Amino acid sequence: HIFLSVPQYNRIFVQIHKWFTFGIYEFASEKYMLSLVKVSSLYENYLLVKMIAYFQSRGYLLVEDKRCVYPVKSTWQYKNTDCKNTFVFKNETNCITLYYQPVIYDSNRSDINGIQLMRNNSLPFFSGNENMNQVGGHYYSPDYVIKVENNSASRYLILDAKFSDLQNVKRYYVKDLAFKYLFSISPIQQSNTVVGLCIIYGKCKSSERTQSAYDKQLPGQAISPIAELLPLVEGISNDAHFNRLDSLMKKIISF
């Protein structure tokens, strides 16, 4: 009687009834969808889809997409993605590979997925729950790596997604990510280059613009490697998003 007479309870009862009419869920088969419940994972997947659409909008043809299973030790915290994590785009002059959550090892493992980068030190680093790094680690796994191949040389841009605001990105994340991805990662071949790091953050206003983490620069003198802070959030048009990505990509590629 209470479920019928009290509107709030009645709405709850209706939703419970709908849930049970769906039958038995097999949650093991829904592992990938359940991972999206975490806001940070949802934002990472949103950016992955956004970047794929971006390259296609700029005339690049998606010629390959696959799921690479990176070999890891049982003691490592890395978990291979349940979705495709390697996307290859081509136009008349360039080949671009977008890697999602790749593994960058402390040795030459470029044969695994074509990433000619390596972790160059085992210096202890601790952030969050990365306990293994207290005694020195063997790999890093950025959220994304973009590789641009042109004339037998490759240029790499490392990207990390943070569903946070600019103040917290500067306060809590920049120095740690700079240590990991600017100081601790090197190209395997001398002809290749790590262009820099871009931190994409999602708690922002539509009026916010991309800025450099280097807030002390001389006029007309660019600092290398780059360290960009790029706001990207829903609520503005795809064109506005893509224009911001244009400004970033011009630092590593000519369209």
Side-chain angles (χ1 to χ4, degrees), residues 73-103:
K73 295 182 179 180
S74 59
T75 54
W76 294 3
Q77 293 186 354
Y78 178 83
K79 303 296 181 184
N80 275 285
T81 65
D82 295 311
C83 62
K84 293 179 178 179
N85 56 15
T86 307
F87 306 87
V88 182
F89 304 86
K90 287 186 177 180
N91 68 3
E92 295 179 353
T93 56
N94 297 310
C95 177
I96 296 177
T97 306
L98 171 62
Y99 299 98
Y100 176 51
Q101 293 184 359
V103 176

Side-chain angles (χ1 to χ4, degrees), residues 186-200:
S186 299
I188 292 171
Q189 296 184 0
Q190 290 185 350
S191 59
N192 298 336
T193 307
V194 177
V195 176
L197 167 70
C198 177
I199 304 172
I200 306 177

Side-chain angles (χ1 to χ4, degrees), residues 128-229:
N129 61 357
E130 298 179 34
N131 295 319
M132 64 170 203
N133 282 322
Q134 289 181 334
V135 293
H138 296 281
Y139 72 95
Y140 279 130
S141 179
D143 291 332
Y144 319 93
V145 170
I146 295 175
K147 177 176 70 173
V148 178
E149 299 173 272
N150 190 335
N151 297 326
S152 73
S154 299
R155 294 163 64 82
Y156 290 88
L157 178 66
I158 299 172
L159 303 97
D160 197 274
K162 297 297 179 189
F163 193 71
S164 186
D165 58 40
L166 180 61
Q167 181 179 355
N168 283 327
V169 167
K170 289 182 175 180
R171 183 175 181 181
Y172 297 112
Y173 298 118
V174 169
K175 61 182 183 298
D176 291 348
L177 294 174
F179 176 88
K180 291 168 64 174
Y181 301 143
L182 296 181
F183 178 77
S184 301
I185 290 180
S186 299
I188 292 171
Q189 296 184 0
Q190 290 185 350
S191 59
N192 298 336
T193 307
V194 177
V195 176
L197 167 70
C198 177
I199 304 172
I200 306 177
Y201 63 98
K203 288 186 177 180
C204 53
K205 299 176 181 178
S206 59
S207 59
E208 291 186 37
R209 296 291 179 263
T210 304
Q211 59 180 272
S212 173
Y214 304 120
D215 55 2
K216 304 294 182 182
Q217 299 188 52
L218 296 176
Q221 294 188 12
I223 298 176
S224 181
I226 66 171
E228 303 290 293
L229 309 176

